[in-house]
Amino acid sequence: MVFGIRAVIEAIDSGKEIESLFIQRGISGSLFLELKSLLKEHGLSYQQVPIEKLNRITRKNHQGVIAVISPIIYQHIEDLLPTIYERGETPLLLMLDGVTDVRNMGAIARTAECAGVHAIIVPKKGSAEINPDAIKTSAGALYKIPVCREDSLGKTGRFLIESGIQLVVSTEKTKESVYDVDYSGPTCIIMGAEDVGVSDELIRISDKLAKIPMFGEIGSLNVSVSAAVVIYEAIRQRGLES
């Protein structure tokens, strides 16, 4: 955690990954304007909060600004994908659209790393923080598997299609089973939030919609369990061995 306007400016300038940023409502001054300009330059978002919230986080002189630094370094799929192809490997990616629970994020990362998924793709906004709880739940997997944080999942999805990656959305809005999809080629599996699922934009551009068969009275699985089911079906089809 970094607090104080100048300290946060220096953290951003040094390339630190900002996980979340809290700024006091009504704050002003030339130094704050410098920070605001820097946030715009780097495309960083922040939450405006009452001073009481900042004081609950720390009693030290925060000057109305507190930043939480990410424990991992985020990557970009545009940079990572060519290296996967250059190694002669068939990309298997996982995109998380709106998964906001840190424990689900950690559990999914643990499964993905164990299964050899090449990268997890998340949006800059509306995604679970990579914090100590997420790291702990992942059993350290979030230190090992690349996490790509992108401005727009729709734009990223179109980039993946142009790069020869099929998009497979896990959703109940289809009759096709996850077991009927061919995952042997370059694939990005897309999982959505438990309450609203995958966005309509990603559904529109996807190559396949697939659902996990349900036979009980409860109509859905936890998203981390769902991700594991689909990921390991892909691994089974690819015939990979440890």
Side-chain angles (χ1 to χ4, degrees):
M1 189 169 62
V2 176
F3 48 86
I5 299 176
R6 175 56 63 189
V8 172
I9 289 174
E10 290 176 356
I12 296 171
D13 280 336
S14 67
K16 297 291 186 183
E17 294 279 1
I18 305 298
E19 188 65 42
S20 54
L21 179 60
F22 305 100
I23 295 178
Q24 179 184 334
R25 289 193 187 119
I27 192 173
S28 60
S30 59
L31 196 56
F32 171 67
L33 292 177
E34 181 182 342
L35 171 61
K36 194 172 181 180
S37 175
L38 193 63
L39 295 176
K40 184 177 181 180
E41 177 185 339
H42 288 268
L44 297 173
S45 60
Y46 59 90
Q47 298 179 48
Q48 290 186 308
V49 298
I51 191 171
E52 290 80 10
K53 178 168 183 175
L54 300 178
N55 290 338
R56 285 196 298 270
I57 297 174
T58 180
R59 300 300 298 181
K60 295 182 179 180
N61 184 22
H62 51 67
Q63 299 176 305
V65 177
I66 298 176
V68 178
I69 306 299
S70 173
I72 68 170
I73 297 175
Y74 290 102
Q75 301 187 41
H76 291 288
I77 194 61
E78 292 89 344
D79 302 324
L80 187 62
L81 191 58
T83 66
I84 299 171
Y85 279 123
E86 287 167 8
R87 293 197 302 262
E89 298 175 2
T90 302
L92 179 59
L93 309 172
L94 179 63
M95 181 182 289
L96 303 180
D97 180 19
V99 175
T100 57
D101 185 278
V102 295
R103 288 168 292 278
N104 281 336
M105 172 66 78
I108 290 169
R110 183 174 184 173
T111 297
E113 200 282 330
C114 288
V117 171
H118 290 99
I120 297 173
I121 303 169
V122 299
K124 274 190 176 180
K125 296 180 180 180
S127 180
E129 289 186 5
I130 306 299
N131 61 18
D133 284 341
I135 298 289
K136 181 179 180 181
T137 308
S138 78
L142 283 165
Y143 288 134
K144 300 178 181 298
I145 188 169
V147 180
C148 302
R149 188 163 64 172
E150 307 294 346
D151 290 322
S152 166
L153 293 188
K155 182 179 178 181
T156 300
R158 285 184 283 272
F159 164 77
L160 293 176
I161 292 171
E162 293 169 0
S163 303
I165 309 285
Q166 72 163 341
L167 304 185
V168 179
V169 171
S170 178
T171 176
E172 293 301 305
K173 300 176 181 179
T174 182
K175 293 182 178 180
E176 189 167 12
S177 167
V178 293
Y179 302 113
D180 296 328
V181 176
D182 182 358
Y183 303 92
S184 60
T187 300
C188 178
I189 297 166
I190 305 177
M191 308 298 302
E194 293 182 1
D195 52 350
V196 296
V198 176
S199 70
D200 290 338
E201 180 183 12
L202 287 172
I203 287 177
R204 280 196 303 270
I205 66 173
S206 68
D207 298 282
K208 295 285 186 179
L209 304 181
K211 68 176 181 179
I212 298 172
M214 297 289 166
F215 305 102
E217 294 183 13
I218 297 176
S220 65
L221 296 170
N222 174 276
V223 66
S224 65
V225 176
S226 296
V229 169
V230 184
I231 289 169
Y232 270 93
E233 171 59 17
I235 296 303
R236 184 194 68 79
Q237 289 188 16
R238 292 178 177 213
L240 300 182
E241 297 180 358
S242 60

